[in-house]
Amino acid sequence: RDFNERCAQCSEVNWGLTDGGRFYCRSCHNVTERTREVVNTDFMTNSRVQTLSKGLRKQEKNDGGSEWYICEGFQLVLKKQVEALEALGVCPQMKDEILCNFWRCYLQKSKQAYCKRPAGEPVKALSVCESSTDVDSDPERPSLLHLLSLSESEGDLQTDCSFASSVSKVSESTSVYSGSVDGSLYFMKNQKEKLSMTMPMTLSFCYMALLWVREPITLSELLRFVVEGHIPYLNVFQHFPEKMKLCGLDLKIFCVESWPVYEEVFNKMHELAAFLDLPRFPDITESCFLHPDMLCMKYLMEANLPDELHNWTCRVVKKIGIGEVDFLTLMPGNKSTRKVKYDVLAVAVIVVVLKLLFLLDDHYEWLLSELAEERNKNNTEVCIFYSGAPYFEFKKWYEVVKHSLDVEQKKLDEERAKYLWRCEKPLFYSAKNKSKVLKRRQMVVNLQNQFGKLSGSGQRAEKPNPSSFQLSWSEENTDRSCFHGHSLKGILQEKCGLLRAMNPDYWLCTVKLCNEKLCGHLAHYREVEFPQTYHFVLGLFSFLLRVQPSYIHDEVCMIEHKLFNKKLSKKLKYNTVLRK
């Protein structure tokens, strides 16, 4: 009754007391740092005693911060990321039924929770392993392992661990340069173990869960949503609770100052799936979005290519067998099967089809384009009201797409150059320098606004709405900049009831593939060794997927060797005979 200050969050005066003697607001459940002062007349006259809970000294450190563990921080990151995916339309079952089980399995396999600690083994710090008396002593701090699945009961999260004195032992052994309890231990362990949790591995967990439920989101789209800010990744620690103080080694673990790399996230996902002993993933069938036929249709539309090319991509997929369920479905731990990059594989099929029809040798595609241009002129001159589909002109397509690609690439480069890597929320770790940090931060913001007005640059643009397409083409344009409905009849000829390419020639990117396990690539890509048209097509799809052109080049070489396997084997045999 004597505490009449208003709540900092809701401005109400409706206080209650916790078991630890702190004041909390009954309206918004905000807990303050103030404690109740009790006058005990039985002990000594005119003396005051401040009531403290049993675990209060144990939980309090670093100017009001609570003890927390690195795995709890990563769990909060996963929670934020999966909630962002749900906001994008992912099925809600992915959070509690898929990702939560993957995370529990990882904690158990890595012996951080849900396990028995062998005698003599160093303590694995984790709040869920604390004794029940420690948890009950401070009801203000909920177990962070409840955050992934809020519907579970407390009994479901109990483990076989019994660490009555684990917190005090770990706290004494850790360095003072870490806000978390096990920051220094985790940092040393991370340098030794391959599958210690890192920020890129949080995206590997998300992609593994997306692949399990067969959601229509590829890895390249997931990473693009991260860069665009739709999925928390950069500076995600600013969403941590106030009591989880970060400093020292914690910042090296959670502070990210680089964009996620496709290859790293992809490889870590496969290592995780094998480490967790996961069974065979659900089948990737023809009706699934990740099937090459479906993805080829998507990327043909985004690359502004004719719809008729989809028939050719389907023929290539069927002929070399990369649309089979066993080839596409992930089987963790099976070293005989190749790791499938679904998005990269699809665009590689399109590149091979373009080479089959247009050759892409800096000569033949321009010759076909001139013939198509003449036929389009003749059709319009003969009949002014000609309504048939125009012949596809490769030269005009190149000019239109290159202009749009240059504009989008320049915009992307400017956004990356202007990106502020520093966290918007200032980081301070003691009450003494809090006011100084806030004042300095406000001064920086004011200076940025003033220089922005002087330079003429406005405020930072808002995040674009999430979309699966980066380049959009409208068929209603009068200048025919959309090539979806254009015809390929000018470059095809009918033979034995089938449409075939007019030119029977084809050039291979490489005659012999490298050992992928030894050098990391099936083939080496150097721009100067290949035609400029081929490089432009690789660059277009490299921009759409945000991957290196060499990744697409590897898949192109793999598809070519599957497609021309018989001819290549005959050629190699002929060469060996000549040498003998």
Side-chain angles (χ1 to χ4, degrees), residues 27-84:
S27 300
C28 65
H29 303 287
N30 177 36
V31 182
T32 67
E33 299 295 332
R34 291 287 298 273
T35 56
R36 182 186 180 187
E37 294 181 352
V38 180
V39 179
N40 192 346
T41 57
D42 297 334
F43 176 68
M44 186 180 294
T45 307
N46 296 329
S47 65
R48 289 184 176 181
V49 178
Q50 207 172 33
T51 60
L52 298 173
S53 65
K54 297 178 182 179
L56 194 58
R57 292 183 180 273
K58 185 176 179 179
Q59 297 290 340
E60 293 277 332
K61 70 170 190 174
N62 291 343
D63 298 330
S66 297
E67 288 179 339
W68 62 281
Y69 303 87
I70 296 297
C71 64
E72 292 179 326
F74 280 117
Q75 184 164 288
L76 281 171
V77 174
L78 285 172
K79 178 178 179 291
K80 293 292 182 181
Q81 290 176 346
V82 72
E83 287 175 350

Short mmCIF file of all heavy atoms in Angstrom, two decimals, residues 27-84:
data_model
loop_
_atom_site.label_atom_id
_atom_site.label_comp_id
_atom_site.label_asym_id
_atom_site.label_seq_id
_atom_site.Cartn_x
_atom_site.Cartn_y
_atom_site.Cartn_z
N SER A 27 -1.62 -5.54 -13.40
CA SER A 27 -2.28 -5.25 -14.68
C SER A 27 -1.50 -5.80 -15.86
O SER A 27 -2.06 -6.46 -16.74
CB SER A 27 -2.47 -3.74 -14.83
OG SER A 27 -3.27 -3.22 -13.78
N CYS A 28 -0.19 -5.52 -15.90
CA CYS A 28 0.63 -5.96 -17.04
C CYS A 28 1.71 -6.95 -16.65
O CYS A 28 2.50 -7.36 -17.51
CB CYS A 28 1.26 -4.75 -17.73
SG CYS A 28 2.46 -3.86 -16.69
N HIS A 29 1.80 -7.33 -15.37
CA HIS A 29 2.76 -8.33 -14.86
C HIS A 29 4.20 -7.88 -15.03
O HIS A 29 5.11 -8.70 -15.16
CB HIS A 29 2.55 -9.68 -15.54
CG HIS A 29 1.16 -10.21 -15.40
ND1 HIS A 29 0.67 -10.73 -14.22
CD2 HIS A 29 0.13 -10.25 -16.29
CE1 HIS A 29 -0.60 -11.09 -14.38
NE2 HIS A 29 -0.95 -10.82 -15.63
N ASN A 30 4.44 -6.59 -15.05
CA ASN A 30 5.80 -6.06 -15.10
C ASN A 30 6.43 -6.14 -13.71
O ASN A 30 5.84 -5.71 -12.73
CB ASN A 30 5.78 -4.62 -15.60
CG ASN A 30 7.16 -4.00 -15.59
OD1 ASN A 30 8.15 -4.69 -15.86
ND2 ASN A 30 7.24 -2.72 -15.27
N VAL A 31 7.65 -6.71 -13.62
CA VAL A 31 8.35 -6.88 -12.35
C VAL A 31 9.41 -5.79 -12.25
O VAL A 31 10.21 -5.60 -13.17
CB VAL A 31 9.00 -8.26 -12.24
CG1 VAL A 31 9.69 -8.42 -10.89
CG2 VAL A 31 7.95 -9.34 -12.44
N THR A 32 9.44 -5.08 -11.13
CA THR A 32 10.40 -3.99 -10.93
C THR A 32 11.58 -4.48 -10.12
O THR A 32 11.59 -5.60 -9.58
CB THR A 32 9.73 -2.81 -10.20
OG1 THR A 32 9.39 -3.22 -8.86
CG2 THR A 32 8.48 -2.35 -10.92
N GLU A 33 12.57 -3.62 -10.01
CA GLU A 33 13.76 -3.92 -9.22
C GLU A 33 13.55 -3.59 -7.74
O GLU A 33 14.37 -3.96 -6.90
CB GLU A 33 14.97 -3.14 -9.75
CG GLU A 33 15.34 -3.46 -11.20
CD GLU A 33 15.81 -4.89 -11.34
OE1 GLU A 33 16.35 -5.42 -10.35
OE2 GLU A 33 15.61 -5.48 -12.42
N ARG A 34 12.49 -2.84 -7.43
CA ARG A 34 12.22 -2.44 -6.04
C ARG A 34 11.78 -3.64 -5.22
O ARG A 34 11.05 -4.52 -5.69
CB ARG A 34 11.12 -1.38 -6.03
CG ARG A 34 11.55 -0.03 -6.62
CD ARG A 34 12.49 0.71 -5.66
NE ARG A 34 11.86 1.01 -4.41
CZ ARG A 34 11.13 2.10 -4.18
NH1 ARG A 34 10.97 2.99 -5.15
NH2 ARG A 34 10.59 2.31 -2.99
N THR A 35 12.21 -3.69 -4.00
CA THR A 35 11.81 -4.74 -3.07
C THR A 35 11.10 -4.11 -1.89
O THR A 35 11.24 -2.91 -1.59
CB THR A 35 13.03 -5.54 -2.58
OG1 THR A 35 13.96 -4.64 -1.99
CG2 THR A 35 13.68 -6.29 -3.74
N ARG A 36 10.34 -4.93 -1.19
CA ARG A 36 9.56 -4.44 -0.05
C ARG A 36 10.46 -4.28 1.16
O ARG A 36 11.28 -5.13 1.47
CB ARG A 36 8.43 -5.43 0.27
CG ARG A 36 7.54 -4.98 1.41
CD ARG A 36 6.55 -6.08 1.75
NE ARG A 36 5.68 -5.69 2.84
CZ ARG A 36 4.81 -6.51 3.43
NH1 ARG A 36 4.69 -7.75 2.99
NH2 ARG A 36 4.05 -6.09 4.41
N GLU A 37 10.31 -3.15 1.84
CA GLU A 37 11.03 -2.90 3.08
C GLU A 37 10.12 -3.23 4.26
O GLU A 37 9.03 -2.67 4.39
CB GLU A 37 11.48 -1.45 3.15
CG GLU A 37 12.51 -1.08 2.10
CD GLU A 37 12.94 0.35 2.21
OE1 GLU A 37 12.32 1.08 3.01
OE2 GLU A 37 13.89 0.74 1.51
N VAL A 38 10.59 -4.16 5.11
CA VAL A 38 9.79 -4.64 6.23
C VAL A 38 10.44 -4.20 7.54
O VAL A 38 11.64 -4.38 7.74
CB VAL A 38 9.65 -6.18 6.20
CG1 VAL A 38 8.80 -6.66 7.37
CG2 VAL A 38 9.04 -6.61 4.88
N VAL A 39 9.66 -3.63 8.39
CA VAL A 39 10.15 -3.21 9.71
C VAL A 39 9.83 -4.32 10.71
O VAL A 39 8.66 -4.65 10.94
CB VAL A 39 9.49 -1.89 10.15
CG1 VAL A 39 9.99 -1.51 11.53
CG2 VAL A 39 9.77 -0.81 9.13
N ASN A 40 10.84 -4.95 11.27
CA ASN A 40 10.69 -6.05 12.21
C ASN A 40 10.96 -5.52 13.62
O ASN A 40 12.09 -5.34 14.03
CB ASN A 40 11.67 -7.17 11.84
CG ASN A 40 11.36 -8.46 12.60
OD1 ASN A 40 10.59 -8.45 13.57
ND2 ASN A 40 11.96 -9.55 12.14
N THR A 41 9.89 -5.29 14.39
CA THR A 41 10.03 -4.74 15.75
C THR A 41 10.45 -5.79 16.75
O THR A 41 10.96 -5.46 17.83
CB THR A 41 8.71 -4.13 16.20
OG1 THR A 41 7.69 -5.12 16.12
CG2 THR A 41 8.34 -2.95 15.30
N ASP A 42 10.25 -7.09 16.44
CA ASP A 42 10.62 -8.14 17.37
C ASP A 42 12.14 -8.32 17.46
O ASP A 42 12.67 -8.82 18.44
CB ASP A 42 9.99 -9.48 16.96
CG ASP A 42 8.48 -9.40 17.01
OD1 ASP A 42 7.96 -8.57 17.80
OD2 ASP A 42 7.82 -10.14 16.25
N PHE A 43 12.82 -7.94 16.39
CA PHE A 43 14.26 -8.16 16.37
C PHE A 43 15.02 -7.03 17.06
O PHE A 43 15.82 -7.25 17.94
CB PHE A 43 14.73 -8.30 14.92
CG PHE A 43 16.21 -8.44 14.78
CD1 PHE A 43 16.86 -9.58 15.23
CD2 PHE A 43 16.97 -7.42 14.21
CE1 PHE A 43 18.22 -9.71 15.10
CE2 PHE A 43 18.32 -7.55 14.08
CZ PHE A 43 18.95 -8.70 14.51
N MET A 44 14.75 -5.79 16.67
CA MET A 44 15.43 -4.65 17.26
C MET A 44 14.60 -3.41 16.96
O MET A 44 14.04 -3.28 15.89
CB MET A 44 16.84 -4.49 16.67
CG MET A 44 17.68 -3.40 17.34
SD MET A 44 19.32 -3.29 16.61
CE MET A 44 19.98 -4.88 17.11
N THR A 45 14.57 -2.56 17.85
CA THR A 45 13.78 -1.35 17.69
C THR A 45 14.41 -0.45 16.63
O THR A 45 15.63 -0.26 16.61
CB THR A 45 13.68 -0.61 19.03
OG1 THR A 45 13.20 -1.52 20.02
CG2 THR A 45 12.72 0.57 18.92
N ASN A 46 13.54 0.13 15.77
CA ASN A 46 13.94 1.08 14.73
C ASN A 46 14.97 0.50 13.75
O ASN A 46 15.87 1.18 13.28
CB ASN A 46 14.53 2.36 15.35
CG ASN A 46 13.49 3.11 16.16
OD1 ASN A 46 12.29 3.04 15.85
ND2 ASN A 46 13.93 3.78 17.22
N SER A 47 14.90 -0.81 13.49
CA SER A 47 15.78 -1.43 12.49
C SER A 47 14.96 -1.96 11.33
O SER A 47 13.83 -2.40 11.54
CB SER A 47 16.59 -2.57 13.12
OG SER A 47 15.72 -3.61 13.51
N ARG A 48 15.53 -1.90 10.16
CA ARG A 48 14.84 -2.35 8.96
C ARG A 48 15.54 -3.57 8.37
O ARG A 48 16.76 -3.60 8.30
CB ARG A 48 14.80 -1.24 7.91
CG ARG A 48 13.87 -0.08 8.30
CD ARG A 48 13.81 0.92 7.18
NE ARG A 48 12.86 1.98 7.48
CZ ARG A 48 12.58 2.98 6.66
NH1 ARG A 48 13.19 3.08 5.49
NH2 ARG A 48 11.70 3.91 7.00
N VAL A 49 14.74 -4.55 7.95
CA VAL A 49 15.27 -5.76 7.32
C VAL A 49 14.67 -5.87 5.94
O VAL A 49 13.46 -5.76 5.78
CB VAL A 49 14.93 -7.02 8.16
CG1 VAL A 49 15.46 -8.26 7.47
CG2 VAL A 49 15.50 -6.89 9.55
N GLN A 50 15.49 -6.10 4.93
CA GLN A 50 15.02 -6.24 3.56
C GLN A 50 14.88 -7.72 3.25
O GLN A 50 15.84 -8.48 3.38
CB GLN A 50 16.02 -5.60 2.60
CG GLN A 50 15.40 -5.13 1.32
CD GLN A 50 16.39 -4.34 0.50
OE1 GLN A 50 17.57 -4.63 0.53
NE2 GLN A 50 15.91 -3.36 -0.23
N THR A 51 13.67 -8.14 2.82
CA THR A 51 13.42 -9.56 2.55
C THR A 51 13.98 -9.93 1.19
O THR A 51 13.80 -9.22 0.21
CB THR A 51 11.91 -9.86 2.57
OG1 THR A 51 11.29 -9.07 1.57
CG2 THR A 51 11.32 -9.53 3.93
N LEU A 52 14.67 -11.06 1.14
CA LEU A 52 15.25 -11.57 -0.11
C LEU A 52 14.86 -13.03 -0.26
O LEU A 52 14.74 -13.76 0.74
CB LEU A 52 16.77 -11.45 -0.10
CG LEU A 52 17.35 -10.03 0.00
CD1 LEU A 52 18.87 -10.11 0.16
CD2 LEU A 52 16.99 -9.22 -1.23
N SER A 53 14.68 -13.47 -1.50
CA SER A 53 14.36 -14.87 -1.73
C SER A 53 15.64 -15.70 -1.66
O SER A 53 16.75 -15.17 -1.67
CB SER A 53 13.71 -15.05 -3.10
OG SER A 53 14.64 -14.71 -4.11
N LYS A 54 15.46 -17.02 -1.62
CA LYS A 54 16.61 -17.90 -1.51
C LYS A 54 17.52 -17.81 -2.73
O LYS A 54 18.73 -17.77 -2.61
CB LYS A 54 16.13 -19.34 -1.32
CG LYS A 54 15.35 -19.57 -0.04
CD LYS A 54 14.89 -21.01 0.02
CE LYS A 54 14.05 -21.28 1.26
NZ LYS A 54 13.57 -22.67 1.31
N GLY A 55 16.92 -17.81 -3.88
CA GLY A 55 17.72 -17.85 -5.10
C GLY A 55 17.98 -16.50 -5.70
O GLY A 55 18.43 -16.42 -6.83
N LEU A 56 17.70 -15.42 -4.99
CA LEU A 56 17.81 -14.10 -5.59
C LEU A 56 19.27 -13.74 -5.86
O LEU A 56 19.62 -13.25 -6.91
CB LEU A 56 17.17 -13.06 -4.69
CG LEU A 56 16.91 -11.69 -5.33
CD1 LEU A 56 16.04 -11.83 -6.55
CD2 LEU A 56 16.29 -10.74 -4.32
N ARG A 57 20.15 -13.99 -4.90
CA ARG A 57 21.56 -13.68 -5.10
C ARG A 57 22.14 -14.54 -6.21
O ARG A 57 23.02 -14.14 -6.94
CB ARG A 57 22.34 -13.90 -3.80
CG ARG A 57 22.00 -12.92 -2.69
CD ARG A 57 22.88 -13.17 -1.47
NE ARG A 57 22.58 -12.26 -0.40
CZ ARG A 57 23.12 -11.05 -0.27
NH1 ARG A 57 23.99 -10.63 -1.16
NH2 ARG A 57 22.80 -10.28 0.75
N LYS A 58 21.61 -15.74 -6.34
CA LYS A 58 22.13 -16.66 -7.33
C LYS A 58 21.73 -16.25 -8.74
O LYS A 58 22.49 -16.36 -9.69
CB LYS A 58 21.60 -18.05 -7.01
CG LYS A 58 22.14 -19.15 -7.89
CD LYS A 58 21.58 -20.46 -7.37
CE LYS A 58 22.06 -21.60 -8.20
NZ LYS A 58 21.56 -22.87 -7.72
N GLN A 59 20.50 -15.72 -8.83
CA GLN A 59 20.01 -15.35 -10.15
C GLN A 59 20.48 -13.97 -10.56
O GLN A 59 20.56 -13.67 -11.73
CB GLN A 59 18.47 -15.38 -10.15
CG GLN A 59 17.88 -16.75 -9.91
CD GLN A 59 18.11 -17.67 -11.08
OE1 GLN A 59 18.37 -17.20 -12.18
NE2 GLN A 59 18.05 -18.96 -10.86
N GLU A 60 20.74 -13.08 -9.59
CA GLU A 60 21.07 -11.70 -9.92
C GLU A 60 22.57 -11.57 -10.17
O GLU A 60 23.38 -12.05 -9.41
CB GLU A 60 20.67 -10.78 -8.75
CG GLU A 60 19.18 -10.69 -8.55
CD GLU A 60 18.55 -9.69 -9.50
OE1 GLU A 60 19.24 -8.74 -9.88
OE2 GLU A 60 17.38 -9.87 -9.84
N LYS A 61 22.94 -10.90 -11.27
CA LYS A 61 24.32 -10.57 -11.54
C LYS A 61 24.33 -9.54 -12.66
O LYS A 61 23.34 -9.30 -13.34
CB LYS A 61 25.13 -11.80 -11.93
CG LYS A 61 24.77 -12.36 -13.31
CD LYS A 61 25.78 -13.40 -13.73
CE LYS A 61 25.55 -13.77 -15.18
NZ LYS A 61 26.59 -14.67 -15.67
N ASN A 62 25.47 -8.95 -12.86
CA ASN A 62 25.64 -7.97 -13.93
C ASN A 62 24.57 -6.90 -13.91
O ASN A 62 23.87 -6.66 -14.89
CB ASN A 62 25.65 -8.68 -15.29
CG ASN A 62 26.89 -9.52 -15.48
OD1 ASN A 62 27.86 -9.35 -14.77
ND2 ASN A 62 26.83 -10.42 -16.44
N ASP A 63 24.41 -6.25 -12.78
CA ASP A 63 23.47 -5.12 -12.66
C ASP A 63 22.05 -5.53 -13.02
O ASP A 63 21.40 -4.96 -13.89
CB ASP A 63 23.91 -3.96 -13.56
CG ASP A 63 25.26 -3.42 -13.15
OD1 ASP A 63 25.57 -3.50 -11.95
OD2 ASP A 63 25.99 -2.94 -14.03
N GLY A 64 21.55 -6.52 -12.35
CA GLY A 64 20.15 -6.90 -12.53
C GLY A 64 19.93 -8.01 -13.53
O GLY A 64 18.79 -8.42 -13.72
N GLY A 65 20.96 -8.50 -14.19
CA GLY A 65 20.78 -9.57 -15.17
C GLY A 65 20.70 -10.93 -14.51
O GLY A 65 21.23 -11.15 -13.43
N SER A 66 20.01 -11.84 -15.17
CA SER A 66 19.88 -13.21 -14.67
C SER A 66 20.90 -14.11 -15.34
O SER A 66 21.43 -13.81 -16.41
CB SER A 66 18.47 -13.73 -14.94
OG SER A 66 17.51 -12.98 -14.25
N GLU A 67 21.17 -15.22 -14.69
CA GLU A 67 22.07 -16.21 -15.28
C GLU A 67 21.37 -16.87 -16.47
O GLU A 67 20.22 -17.31 -16.36
CB GLU A 67 22.46 -17.26 -14.24
CG GLU A 67 23.41 -16.71 -13.20
CD GLU A 67 23.76 -17.75 -12.15
OE1 GLU A 67 22.98 -18.71 -12.02
OE2 GLU A 67 24.78 -17.61 -11.47
N TRP A 68 22.05 -16.94 -17.59
CA TRP A 68 21.49 -17.58 -18.78
C TRP A 68 22.60 -18.31 -19.52
O TRP A 68 23.77 -18.10 -19.28
CB TRP A 68 20.82 -16.55 -19.70
CG TRP A 68 21.74 -15.51 -20.25
CD1 TRP A 68 22.22 -14.40 -19.62
CD2 TRP A 68 22.31 -15.49 -21.55
NE1 TRP A 68 23.04 -13.69 -20.43
CE2 TRP A 68 23.12 -14.32 -21.63
CE3 TRP A 68 22.23 -16.31 -22.66
CZ2 TRP A 68 23.83 -14.00 -22.78
CZ3 TRP A 68 22.93 -15.98 -23.82
CH2 TRP A 68 23.71 -14.84 -23.86
N TYR A 69 22.19 -19.16 -20.42
CA TYR A 69 23.11 -20.07 -21.09
C TYR A 69 23.02 -19.90 -22.60
O TYR A 69 22.01 -19.46 -23.13
CB TYR A 69 22.81 -21.52 -20.68
CG TYR A 69 22.87 -21.71 -19.20
CD1 TYR A 69 21.74 -21.49 -18.41
CD2 TYR A 69 24.05 -22.07 -18.57
CE1 TYR A 69 21.79 -21.63 -17.03
CE2 TYR A 69 24.11 -22.22 -17.20
CZ TYR A 69 22.98 -22.00 -16.44
OH TYR A 69 23.04 -22.14 -15.08
N ILE A 70 24.09 -20.24 -23.27
CA ILE A 70 24.18 -20.01 -24.71
C ILE A 70 23.08 -20.74 -25.47
O ILE A 70 22.49 -20.19 -26.41
CB ILE A 70 25.57 -20.44 -25.23
CG1 ILE A 70 26.66 -19.57 -24.60
CG2 ILE A 70 25.63 -20.34 -26.75
CD1 ILE A 70 26.57 -18.11 -24.95
N CYS A 71 22.77 -21.96 -25.08
CA CYS A 71 21.73 -22.71 -25.79
C CYS A 71 20.37 -22.04 -25.62
O CYS A 71 19.51 -22.14 -26.50
CB CYS A 71 21.69 -24.15 -25.32
SG CYS A 71 21.24 -24.36 -23.59
N GLU A 72 20.16 -21.35 -24.50
CA GLU A 72 18.92 -20.61 -24.32
C GLU A 72 18.84 -19.45 -25.30
O GLU A 72 17.77 -19.14 -25.84
CB GLU A 72 18.82 -20.09 -22.89
CG GLU A 72 18.65 -21.18 -21.85
CD GLU A 72 18.58 -20.62 -20.43
OE1 GLU A 72 19.25 -19.62 -20.15
OE2 GLU A 72 17.85 -21.20 -19.62
N GLY A 73 19.98 -18.80 -25.53
CA GLY A 73 20.00 -17.73 -26.51
C GLY A 73 19.69 -18.23 -27.90
O GLY A 73 18.89 -17.61 -28.64
N PHE A 74 20.28 -19.35 -28.30
CA PHE A 74 19.99 -19.91 -29.63
C PHE A 74 18.53 -20.36 -29.73
O PHE A 74 17.92 -20.30 -30.80
CB PHE A 74 20.92 -21.08 -29.92
CG PHE A 74 22.28 -20.65 -30.38
CD1 PHE A 74 23.42 -20.95 -29.64
CD2 PHE A 74 22.44 -19.93 -31.55
CE1 PHE A 74 24.67 -20.55 -30.06
CE2 PHE A 74 23.69 -19.52 -31.98
CZ PHE A 74 24.81 -19.84 -31.23
N GLN A 75 17.98 -20.82 -28.62
CA GLN A 75 16.57 -21.24 -28.66
C GLN A 75 15.66 -20.04 -28.88
O GLN A 75 14.66 -20.14 -29.60
CB GLN A 75 16.21 -21.93 -27.35
CG GLN A 75 14.80 -22.48 -27.34
CD GLN A 75 14.60 -23.47 -26.23
OE1 GLN A 75 15.11 -24.58 -26.28
NE2 GLN A 75 13.87 -23.08 -25.22
N LEU A 76 15.99 -18.91 -28.28
CA LEU A 76 15.22 -17.69 -28.53
C LEU A 76 15.33 -17.26 -29.99
O LEU A 76 14.36 -16.80 -30.60
CB LEU A 76 15.70 -16.57 -27.62
CG LEU A 76 15.19 -16.60 -26.18
CD1 LEU A 76 15.92 -15.56 -25.34
CD2 LEU A 76 13.70 -16.35 -26.13
N VAL A 77 16.52 -17.43 -30.59
CA VAL A 77 16.71 -17.09 -32.00
C VAL A 77 15.84 -17.98 -32.87
O VAL A 77 15.15 -17.51 -33.80
CB VAL A 77 18.19 -17.22 -32.39
CG1 VAL A 77 18.37 -17.02 -33.89
CG2 VAL A 77 19.04 -16.21 -31.63
N LEU A 78 15.84 -19.30 -32.59
CA LEU A 78 15.01 -20.22 -33.36
C LEU A 78 13.53 -19.89 -33.22
O LEU A 78 12.76 -19.98 -34.19
CB LEU A 78 15.27 -21.66 -32.90
CG LEU A 78 16.58 -22.29 -33.35
CD1 LEU A 78 16.78 -23.64 -32.66
CD2 LEU A 78 16.59 -22.47 -34.86
N LYS A 79 13.13 -19.50 -32.01
CA LYS A 79 11.73 -19.14 -31.78
C LYS A 79 11.33 -17.94 -32.63
O LYS A 79 10.27 -17.93 -33.27
CB LYS A 79 11.51 -18.85 -30.30
CG LYS A 79 10.09 -18.41 -29.95
CD LYS A 79 9.95 -18.19 -28.46
CE LYS A 79 8.54 -17.74 -28.10
NZ LYS A 79 8.26 -16.37 -28.59
N LYS A 80 12.18 -16.91 -32.66
CA LYS A 80 11.89 -15.72 -33.47
C LYS A 80 11.85 -16.07 -34.95
O LYS A 80 10.99 -15.56 -35.70
CB LYS A 80 12.94 -14.65 -33.21
CG LYS A 80 12.93 -14.07 -31.80
CD LYS A 80 11.67 -13.26 -31.56
CE LYS A 80 11.68 -12.64 -30.17
NZ LYS A 80 10.44 -11.86 -29.91
N GLN A 81 12.75 -16.92 -35.39
CA GLN A 81 12.81 -17.26 -36.81
C GLN A 81 11.60 -18.08 -37.25
O GLN A 81 11.01 -17.82 -38.31
CB GLN A 81 14.10 -18.03 -37.11
CG GLN A 81 15.35 -17.17 -37.01
CD GLN A 81 16.62 -17.96 -37.20
OE1 GLN A 81 16.61 -19.20 -37.16
NE2 GLN A 81 17.73 -17.27 -37.39
N VAL A 82 11.19 -19.04 -36.45
CA VAL A 82 10.05 -19.86 -36.85
C VAL A 82 8.75 -19.07 -36.76
O VAL A 82 7.81 -19.29 -37.55
CB VAL A 82 9.98 -21.15 -35.98
CG1 VAL A 82 9.54 -20.84 -34.56
CG2 VAL A 82 9.06 -22.18 -36.61
N GLU A 83 8.67 -18.12 -35.86
CA GLU A 83 7.49 -17.25 -35.82
C GLU A 83 7.43 -16.36 -37.05
O GLU A 83 6.34 -16.09 -37.59
CB GLU A 83 7.52 -16.40 -34.55
CG GLU A 83 7.21 -17.17 -33.28
CD GLU A 83 7.35 -16.32 -32.03
OE1 GLU A 83 7.87 -15.18 -32.15
OE2 GLU A 83 6.97 -16.78 -30.94
N ALA A 84 8.59 -15.91 -37.53
CA ALA A 84 8.62 -15.12 -38.76
C ALA A 84 8.21 -15.97 -39.96
O ALA A 84 7.51 -15.49 -40.86
CB ALA A 84 10.03 -14.54 -38.97
#
